[in-house]
Amino acid sequence: MAGNWKMYKTAAQTTEFFSQFAPAVASATHAEVVICAPFVNLPAAVEAAKSTNIGIGAQDVFWLKEGAYTGEVSAPMLAAIGCKWVIIGHSERRQYFGETEETVLKKTVAALEEGLTPIVCVGERLEEREANATEEVLARQFQGGIQVLDAQQFARIVIAYEPVWAIGTGKTATPEMAEAAHAFLRSQIAGHFGQAAADACRILYGGSVKPDNVRGLMEQPDIDGALVGGASLAPASFAGIVNYL
Ligand code: 13P
């Protein structure tokens, strides 16, 4: 269960969040719990999550280790401060910051080299769904950004399916729609990496997940977790999602 805070909260608000959230999920053993905070708040988040069952992640990473790349942050820098996870290829980065299948792949490999767990995002836009192109888009994103990994690398990533039209809109995909996309992704994985790798891969759903719709999503056989934006910002609502059982 991963929270993506996007561009929200200061360092002080980060610390405040954990003081309420950590006790509320302390007994959750059915899921890994992750918060992906803005870069500048990662030290505060790592500090606040010490001695808890919450892992900390970033929302992006550059693919080179260091160099003259103004504004970028590398995987070794993230690993050095105690970050364990990183979201890669979020649709907002694809839409506003020129992320492509190629950059997603390079960032994923760079994260894996430093021992970070990449949460690689895929998902179709509204016009693509309306044109019945969802599977074509997912296949393209899978084949260009994920399938190129070797089997050992693939075994260490998490995939997030986030239909762009469901992000921040309150329009959750129905559990059946989400399940169909997840099942398709798992069939793509099976076709390339084999059935065992497909069964073992965790595929998260993201897009307007809330405490009151998470259970129906999690009941689907191919939905293994959630990547939560807006509803991860308040301790009670994200704890309600984590503790959905
Ligand atoms: P919302 O939960 O706010 O729709 O955001 C989903 C998302 O983009 C998570 O990465």
Side-chain angles (χ1 to χ4, degrees), residues 4 6 90 92 162 166-169 206-210 227-231:
N4 172 11
K6 309 193 179 184
H90 192 278
E92 287 149 17
E162 299 205 313
I167 295 177
T169 58
S208 297
V209 176
K210 308 281 181 242
L227 180 55
V228 184

Side-chain angles (χ1 to χ4, degrees), residues 29-198:
T29 50
H30 59 285
E32 284 189 81
V33 183
V34 177
I35 295 283
C36 297
F39 286 132
V40 291
N41 298 334
L42 290 173
V46 168
E47 177 63 30
K50 238 181 227 169
S51 322
T52 74
N53 54 339
I54 306 162
I56 301 303
Q59 300 170 14
D60 187 27
V61 64
F62 193 53
W63 56 81
L64 294 176
K65 291 183 196 303
E66 62 180 10
Y69 300 98
T70 303
E72 292 298 319
V73 173
S74 73
M77 293 171 187
L78 294 177
I81 59 157
C83 195
K84 304 280 187 223
W85 300 75
V86 58
I87 296 170
I88 296 175
H90 192 278
S91 63
E92 287 149 17
R93 297 218 60 88
R94 293 177 189 260
Q95 184 178 353
Y96 305 125
F97 304 102
E99 203 81 74
T100 64
E101 266 57 271
E102 191 193 349
T103 60
V104 167
L105 177 65
K106 290 203 287 198
K107 290 177 175 192
T108 301
V109 171
L112 288 169
E113 274 176 14
E114 299 304 320
L116 301 171
T117 301
I119 301 173
V120 182
C121 300
V122 297
E124 81 287 359
R125 292 175 289 140
L126 180 61
E127 58 270 32
E128 293 166 335
R129 173 157 286 265
E130 286 174 344
N132 278 328
T134 298
E135 293 192 351
E136 186 187 321
V137 170
L138 294 180
R140 186 184 72 227
Q141 292 173 337
F142 175 79
Q143 287 161 15
I146 298 174
Q147 183 179 289
V148 195
L149 298 171
D150 67 31
Q152 286 74 25
Q153 289 170 323
F154 177 76
R156 292 171 46 214
I157 75 164
V158 171
I159 295 174
Y161 167 63
E162 299 205 313
V164 179
W165 48 270
I167 295 177
T169 58
K171 287 186 198 158
T172 330
T174 63
E176 293 71 25
M177 284 160 92
E179 169 59 20
H182 282 230
F184 175 76
L185 281 166
R186 217 178 285 284
S187 73
Q188 291 279 300
I189 300 167
H192 187 77
F193 292 105
Q195 193 60 48

